[in-house]
Amino acid sequence: MSRVRDRADARDWLVMAAACAIVGVLLIAPLVLVFVQAFADGWRPALEALREPETLSAIRLTLFVAVIVVAVNSVFGTIAAWLLARFDFRFKAALLTLIELPVSISPVIGGLVWLLLFGAQGWFGPWCERHGIGLMFAWPGIVLATLFVTFPYVVRTALPLLEAQGPAQEEAAVLLGAGWWSLWARVILPGMRLALLSGVLLTTARALGEFGAVAVVSGHIPGLTNTMPLEIETLYNGYRSTAAFALSATLALMALAVIALRTLIRRAGSVRA
Amino acid sequence: MSKENIVFRSLPITPHRPLLPGFAPALGTTLLWTGLLVALPLSALALRPWEHGPGAMLHVLTGDRVRAALALSFGAAALAATIALGLGLVLAWALARGPRSGPLAAVRRGLDLLIDLPFALPTAVSGIALATLYGPRGWFGAPLHELGIDIAYTRAGIEVALVFVSLPFAVRAVEPVLAALPAAREEAAESLGATHLQVLARIVLPALRPALLAAYALAFARALGEYGSVIFIAGNMPGRSEIAPLLIVIRLQEFDEASAAAIGLLMLLGAALCLAALSAARRALR
């Protein structure tokens, strides 16, 4: 462990002052600006901007996409994390790399890959067109792009916990006669619930705010395929600053609340452990 | 499952595999999920640039506009990761070595909460906030403009946005390693008369080398792919301030999927190199 000293010396003050300056200028100033700009003309214009039909539609679409994405990636991510923690098999390292890959690459690529599959010149694009299936420039494309960019979060948070817990409890349950269902419902899921919740919240925050991947596949139709981040872009580029920042403040509050909840849960978890 | 079966299967002391049920269905679901959502889309990215032959792909990648965008993206990401590493080291030091009691301890806990802000803030929000903040009439942009320094709509603006988004990655990669460094060697060096700077340069930084490499790789990968927080502040002049992810978006708007795929593939290779550096750094940390 590092040294634990009771009294701060001059070097501590210097380092803390530098750290506060960096965080204040680089990180806090932009956040404060969002809220100042949103209410630059008072409360009423900001609230009215949020009640416009295009804005309400964007909020609904963002929440709808987030619910589907969180449900799909949480269920499959939990199973994948358990598989990777409990079993050894060939190509396990390759599978883990594949699962980790989507967060390391550009979000724009997270949208591009779906156009390469289902776009007009894509592998399955012509087939989809003939059968009247419109995935791109509609909500299914937005869901697919968001699924891709939020793919590894549940696995990443659940896997270290499952590895640390070890298989003893699950093996005991099986020896005592637990079937597959009661093993999952009464041993595995209760044991990992805090890590699972933490991963779910991380997925939610990222799904709410995803911009690059969604920008590629959405088609930018206000009132129809614009999510909240895309509507922010539309408003900002249309010189509707107050409305853009009012929606930004709303989206930032949603994402920050989710992340704050996750921090609280992690604190509670580390206190218990 | 019959009782005899359980007894028989519990006999060999191989702790993990044979005992727990459900390996095959779990593997099947995971492969299906990963295959449909990651492997299939990425294989399209890997194969589609070649559909008009390698010559056509080379032609795309050597075009002036594409070359400029790729050079800008890789160069700006390298510089941003360097700056983020420097600033991140100060922040990691404040978090890992900062006072645990007294008035500064509260400051340290506050910093700990705020570091992850760029990670939590949606990129479109940070994009328009940074563009306004550093714009010609912004809180920081206006006084700097008086001094003849323009940040928004120049390369400096791109760097500001990239440092903003990559900073938490640099801090969080260094902080736990710095906190876990044994104090004995530093104290020995100090007691032998080394100055603070000598201790930092000869003892601390060499011990941190794998963590710094990991921090750089993470920050670089994030900066290389960043789109939302950059495009509002970048100016987006073709050949000058147009980043590669934006060029992908533009090519797609022109329905030129093959060109977009070629640029995307090159960026994927850049990210893969970062991942390789990262896993090398993690092996060195163990």
Side-chain angles (χ1 to χ4, degrees):
Chain A
M1 269 315 290
S2 65
R3 66 202 72 188
V4 178
R5 287 165 302 168
D6 287 336
R7 291 180 56 84
D9 60 20
R11 190 176 52 157
D12 286 326
W13 282 98
L14 198 68
V15 171
M16 295 309 270
C20 287
I22 295 169
V23 168
V25 170
L26 204 57
L27 308 188
I28 300 184
L31 182 69
V32 173
L33 178 118
V34 169
F35 290 92
V36 170
Q37 290 282 328
F39 301 118
D41 305 327
W43 290 86
R44 201 178 291 270
L47 290 178
E48 270 168 15
L50 289 179
R51 278 211 295 267
E52 285 173 27
E54 284 87 5
T55 307
L56 288 176
S57 146
I59 296 174
R60 270 198 303 272
L61 179 60
T62 291
L63 294 176
F64 172 73
V65 169
V67 167
I68 300 181
V69 164
V70 167
V72 171
N73 273 349
S74 300
V75 170
F76 287 98
T78 308
I79 296 171
W82 181 73
L83 175 85
L84 291 165
R86 293 291 179 261
F87 299 96
D88 283 317
F89 49 92
R90 282 170 78 188
F91 306 120
K92 181 173 158 178
L95 181 63
L96 191 59
T97 308
L98 201 60
I99 290 175
E100 291 262 348
L101 203 52
V103 283
S104 315
I105 62 183
S106 176
V108 169
I109 292 179
L112 166 70
V113 288
W114 296 107
L115 273 178
L116 296 179
L117 287 175
F118 298 112
Q121 306 146 35
W123 283 350
F124 311 119
W127 185 89
C128 285
E129 204 171 343
R130 271 199 306 279
H131 292 78
I133 305 169
L135 295 178
M136 294 298 106
F137 313 119
W139 68 264
I142 298 175
V143 168
L144 287 174
T146 315
L147 278 172
F148 184 91
V149 292
T150 59
F151 192 81
Y153 288 128
V154 169
V155 177
R156 273 184 156 193
T157 41
L159 182 56
L161 178 97
L162 284 173
E163 277 178 340
Q165 279 181 343
Q169 288 192 3
E170 294 160 27
E171 287 173 351
V174 171
L175 282 175
L176 292 170
W180 187 85
W181 178 250
S182 48
L183 175 66
W184 271 94
R186 297 166 76 171
V187 183
I188 300 175
L189 288 178
M192 66 188 291
R193 64 178 190 280
L194 284 182
L196 184 58
L197 196 55
S198 169
V200 165
L201 291 172
L202 201 57
T203 308
T204 310
R206 182 72 200 265
L208 290 174
E210 182 47 40
F211 179 66
V214 172
V216 171
V217 294
S218 121
H220 288 88
I221 310 165
L224 202 59
T225 64
N226 256 6
T227 61
M228 288 172 79
L230 295 173
E231 184 69 17
I232 290 170
E233 184 192 23
T234 303
L235 291 168
Y236 184 81
N237 288 341
Y239 300 101
R240 299 201 44 211
S241 175
T242 301
F245 278 103
L247 191 55
S248 289
T250 313
L251 181 59
L253 278 181
M254 286 160 70
L256 292 177
V258 170
I259 293 293
L261 191 61
R262 178 168 176 266
T263 309
L264 283 178
I265 286 167
R266 285 163 66 106
R267 293 260 159 95
S270 62
V271 167
R272 274 159 38 101
Chain B
M1 196 185 284
S2 68
K3 281 225 167 66
E4 295 80 1
N5 199 3
I6 290 174
V7 172
F8 173 70
R9 288 176 69 177
S10 66
L11 276 176
I13 315 294
T14 44
H16 295 216
R17 201 165 20 173
L19 201 51
L20 293 172
F23 170 69
L27 182 65
T29 358
T30 303
L31 287 180
L32 184 75
W33 177 62
T34 318
L36 287 179
L37 287 180
V38 181
L40 177 68
L42 284 183
S43 59
L45 180 64
L47 296 177
R48 287 217 37 206
W50 310 92
E51 62 190 13
H52 302 303
M57 180 165 118
L58 212 64
H59 183 73
V60 168
L61 291 179
T62 50
D64 283 344
R65 190 170 170 186
V66 174
R67 269 214 324 256
L70 285 169
L72 174 64
S73 272
F74 278 86
L79 180 57
T82 311
I83 299 172
L85 197 61
L87 299 177
L89 196 58
V90 176
L91 292 173
W93 191 284
L95 294 181
R97 301 286 179 93
R100 306 269 152 175
S101 61
L104 285 182
V107 178
R108 195 186 61 82
R109 280 195 297 272
L111 288 176
D112 192 26
L113 281 178
L114 291 166
I115 296 286
D116 292 320
L117 189 67
F119 183 73
L121 209 59
T123 56
V125 176
S126 37
I128 68 169
L130 290 171
T132 308
L133 191 62
Y134 292 93
R137 286 185 297 158
W139 296 345
F140 297 162
L144 287 171
H145 185 72
E146 294 286 304
L147 297 171
I149 304 168
D150 283 318
I151 292 190
Y153 320 122
T154 67
R155 282 193 65 158
I158 299 178
E159 295 300 340
V160 167
L162 293 183
V163 170
F164 177 84
V165 294
S166 56
L167 188 61
F169 293 86
V171 177
R172 296 303 187 199
V174 176
E175 179 204 339
V177 184
L178 189 59
L181 279 189
R185 290 180 63 192
E186 292 164 51
E187 282 163 3
E190 270 175 40
S191 72
L192 291 172
T195 64
H196 286 326
L197 278 180
Q198 280 175 325
V199 172
L200 187 69
R202 300 217 184 141
I203 310 280
V204 178
L205 288 183
L208 281 181
R209 216 177 289 148
L212 291 175
L213 177 62
Y216 189 87
L218 282 168
F220 181 84
R222 178 64 209 253
L224 181 66
E226 183 55 29
Y227 174 73
S229 53
V230 180
I231 56 159
F232 295 101
I233 202 174
N236 305 329
M237 293 279 291
R240 275 222 309 244
S241 55
E242 183 178 65
I243 55 169
L246 176 66
L247 191 54
I248 293 179
V249 173
I250 291 173
R251 287 287 181 259
L252 287 173
Q253 282 164 357
E254 297 163 349
F255 301 103
D256 187 356
E257 288 178 10
S259 295
I263 305 168
L265 183 58
L266 210 71
M267 305 220 32
L268 178 70
L269 292 180
L273 272 179
C274 287
L275 278 188
L278 190 62
S279 63
R282 280 187 183 147
R283 271 198 304 278
L285 276 175
R286 281 206 190 104

